[in-house]
Amino acid sequence: MQLIKISSIQFVEKIFLFFSVFLFLCPQSHGQNEADENVLSIQSVSFLPTSWPSDKPRELKINLLLKPGFKAYVDKFKLTVLEPYPTNQSILNPNPVHQFFDKYSKSNKYGVKETSTITSTIEINQPLENGSHKLVFELNFQACSESVCYFPQTIKHDVEFLVQNNNLS
């Protein structure tokens, strides 16, 4: 049997190559699985009341559906209104909220699972003309199951609303 001598640099290169191939072939080992990223979907959105002056607050209600076995962390939800801009918004209120032990952080966390609703009061800080408008927003979230924890993701969505009885003087 003949021993092959390799330098320490060659050894490090071979170890690096091995781990690179391992991470490429095992996507769950680094937190992402490209084939299953849509773990949370928006089922419906309402912006109520549907007809209102633009300077009055409205309630944005987002109905969510999470794939079975997944939980979305309450503290990772973030809503960003893109249009119309600027706006004020209240803190997001997810419901129902469940407490669970998170094996990734090894602590108790709060999250939503399966079907849930997020509400927020939105106030548009610019005058809008009477008529139809669109509220465009992004919802950021992070979801995990017992076998995988995804990086934070963003869903962009919009909802139409009507402005009436607005006095633009």
Side-chain angles (χ1 to χ4, degrees):
M1 181 174 196
Q2 186 178 16
L3 293 175
I4 300 173
K5 291 185 177 183
I6 60 172
S7 70
S8 59
I9 292 174
Q10 289 173 325
F11 179 74
V12 170
E13 287 174 344
K14 293 197 184 301
I15 295 292
F16 177 75
L17 178 64
F18 171 78
F19 281 111
S20 297
V21 170
F22 177 76
L23 288 174
F24 177 75
L25 294 176
C26 301
Q28 289 184 353
S29 67
H30 57 88
Q32 289 291 88
N33 182 350
E34 298 299 326
D36 197 19
E37 284 193 6
N38 298 321
V39 295
L40 185 139
S41 61
I42 295 177
Q43 297 300 296
S44 63
V45 177
S46 59
F47 195 42
L48 301 172
T50 55
S51 181
W52 203 248
S54 65
D55 62 342
K56 303 290 185 202
R58 297 175 191 231
E59 182 182 73
L60 179 66
K61 183 177 178 182
I62 306 168
N63 293 312
L64 304 173
L65 179 63
L66 205 57
K67 284 192 176 177
F70 282 88
K71 297 173 184 80
Y73 298 96
V74 167
D75 62 341
K76 298 295 183 181
F77 280 115
K78 180 184 174 197
L79 180 75
T80 304
V81 176
L82 304 173
E83 295 175 33
Y85 184 82
T87 60
N88 289 335
Q89 64 191 53
S90 67
I91 295 173
L92 295 179
N93 182 20
N95 194 29
V97 173
H98 305 276
Q99 185 177 13
F100 61 95
F101 181 78
D102 178 45
K103 77 176 200 176
Y104 300 101
S105 66
K106 297 184 180 13
S107 64
N108 287 328
K109 295 285 186 175
Y110 293 95
V112 298
K113 58 184 182 178
E114 298 172 8
T115 58
S116 60
T117 302
I118 294 179
T119 57
S120 180
T121 301
I122 308 281
E123 186 176 356
I124 300 167
N125 293 335
Q126 68 175 350
L128 297 175
E129 294 182 9
N130 289 336
S132 182
H133 297 272
K134 241 184 217 183
L135 179 79
V136 181
F137 64 89
E138 289 180 339
L139 180 66
N140 297 57
F141 68 95
Q142 184 173 15
C144 298
S145 71
E146 288 298 316
S147 60
V148 65
C149 193
Y150 290 107
F151 294 123
Q153 299 177 35
T154 302
I155 298 176
K156 188 174 180 179
H157 203 81
D158 62 69
V159 61
E160 288 194 22
F161 66 98
L162 187 64
V163 172
Q164 73 178 35
N165 300 328
N166 218 16
N167 296 328
L168 296 175
S169 312

